[in-house]
Amino acid sequence: MPVLTSPDIANKFKEKWLAVYPEDQVTGSDSAPMDDSLTSLHWLQNFSILSADPERPNGAGPGCPSSQHQLFLKRLGFPRGGTDSPSSPPAGDTAATGMPPYLGSPVTSGSDSTAAPRFANCAHPGNGYPQIPIQASPPVEVDYKTNPKVKPPYSYASLICMAMQASKQPKVTLSTIYNWITENFCYYRHAEPSWQNSIRHNLSLNKCFKKVPRQKDEPGKGGFWQIDPQYADMFVNGIFKRRRMSANHYNSSSSSGGSSSTHRQSKLVQGYHSTQNGFPYQGVGVKRKHLPSKNNGKAMRASESPLLATEAHKADILRGDFDLASVFDDVLSGSCSTFEDLDINTALSSLGCEMEVSMQGRQHSAGLGRWCGGGDIIGQSQHLNHHQSYSYMELNAASMDCAVNIGELHVPQQQHPQHPQQQQQLDQDQLLQSHHHHLQQFDDPSTLFSEQPDEVVLQPWEEIKEEAQAIPLTLDQGFGLCEGFFTEMQPWERVEAYL
DNA sequence: CAATGTTTACTGGAAG
DNA sequence: CTTCCAGTAAACATTG
């Protein structure tokens, strides 16, 4: 098969797209108003995960505007598509259904199909994931909620994360987590109770989970668990981002971009590394990129997914000292936040690009926002008076990967810049924020690339990524790609940019 | 006593 | 081949 150039693919994609959505023909990329650009990334939602929350036809969740909520749900995007596992109602929802093909099927259950985003419906009729025409992977639908034979492709950390999110509570009990999992994943209803041991093990071992002692006046046994704000950004779309860190990474704290990554790293090292491998025991998310060859002896695990990983490196950002717990809780409790970047990350990741959310210092909020999902960055900004910023982006010529650091939220009132650069960053951010709500500062290239070079996650559109990677890309193209990302683009244009 | 929480050890797959 | 990672099992401690 002939090698297609990025433009070729972009054109093909465009043709396909227009065939399905002629209405999109209209606006030219350049004609789009800047304001639109703020929301233009919505396409990523679709691009990303799939679907909206089936359980919430209106997409309206408590505290969230319907439209925003829809976006949020999509962004939440637990790997699967349409369902709301993560965002879904605490109990009895279809969380387990409609998982992405790899994980399950996104469009699986009828319920979500309706809310399925365009990509799911059109471009990727089969599995609900964006796919390039060339790709043809048969969708495998698995309804985890009712299928007891297939082990969900989510790591325990992800499951915990989903349960926490679904609970809508800032903190949850172990039993709540168990319940959510069993209610949404049939497999666990029938599995040996040993999985609960694993859950506990994960909660204890994974630094991302923080135990909140029960108050004296709070009856009951055991404490509460919550996502440690410091690691909130480890969860992408409700899924744990997993990153493989090399030894140097731990030592790499370098300067530039740094401080944040340094911090984070050190924490990660201290935390997870001390216990297991050097990461806050992240394992969440869809785990491996390959199919679950492993049978576990009990059930076959669907291939892991997707969404996650891509942003593991976001984790490297440092966070400040200010207490974000409140912010986290805030977001978690329903006020929206932003998952926009998540999707972007995911999407870009799948396309060979990576976005990194840099939260240096103030980052917690960003991470939290992501985690909680809800609105988008903008929403969160409003809520917290944050400022987003974008600074620069760099391409790793060697890898030809595009790293885009997005999601840097600033919380001026709370922020306590530890470094002059941070203040500078703030100013810079304010300057740029008006133009790029969704894109944020690109982190230090060294951090972006050297730290998490292999953040590969099975994204729904993984195929696209692979294709894209196969396409010869010049450095210039790479830059163009990133550049294009920040500008208003039509879907096909964006794809072209990515390619 | 059961549920909860912590810790250690080991295994196998995946990635580098 | 080595390292990383997630999962599993199990021992043990704590708590209601």
Side-chain angles (χ1 to χ4, degrees), chain A residues 24 48 251:
Chain A
D24 283 345
S48 87
N251 306 323

Side-chain angles (χ1 to χ4, degrees), chain A residues 187-221:
Chain A
Y187 170 84
Y188 293 106
R189 281 198 289 274
H190 302 86
E192 294 291 317
S194 63
W195 65 269
Q196 297 182 336
N197 182 26
S198 293
I199 291 290
R200 293 194 301 274
H201 164 76
N202 235 279
L203 286 168
S204 294
L205 192 61
N206 195 326
K207 300 297 179 189
C208 294
F209 300 121
K210 188 166 116 186
K211 184 179 175 181
V212 180
R214 195 178 283 266
Q215 297 299 308
K216 294 176 181 133
D217 58 339
E218 290 181 286
K221 189 171 186 178

Side-chain angles (χ1 to χ4, degrees), chain A residues 389-452:
Chain A
S389 73
Y390 315 95
S391 48
Y392 63 91
M393 161 168 95
E394 297 210 20
L395 286 177
N396 180 321
S399 65
M400 285 317 294
D401 278 343
C402 171
V404 179
N405 184 355
I406 60 172
E408 172 131 8
L409 292 178
H410 299 244
V411 187
Q413 56 274 61
Q414 291 182 312
Q415 178 175 11
H416 301 296
Q418 297 164 330
H419 307 289
Q421 299 102 300
Q422 288 190 335
Q423 184 56 55
Q424 263 187 333
Q425 182 66 56
L426 259 178
D427 296 335
Q428 191 176 35
D429 294 349
Q430 293 177 351
L431 224 142
L432 298 170
Q433 71 174 93
S434 63
H435 293 310
H436 310 284
H437 280 71
H438 303 87
L439 301 180
Q440 298 189 322
Q441 158 177 43
F442 295 101
D443 215 350
D444 175 61
S446 62
T447 298
L448 292 174
F449 301 103
S450 61
E451 299 229 348
Q452 300 115 358

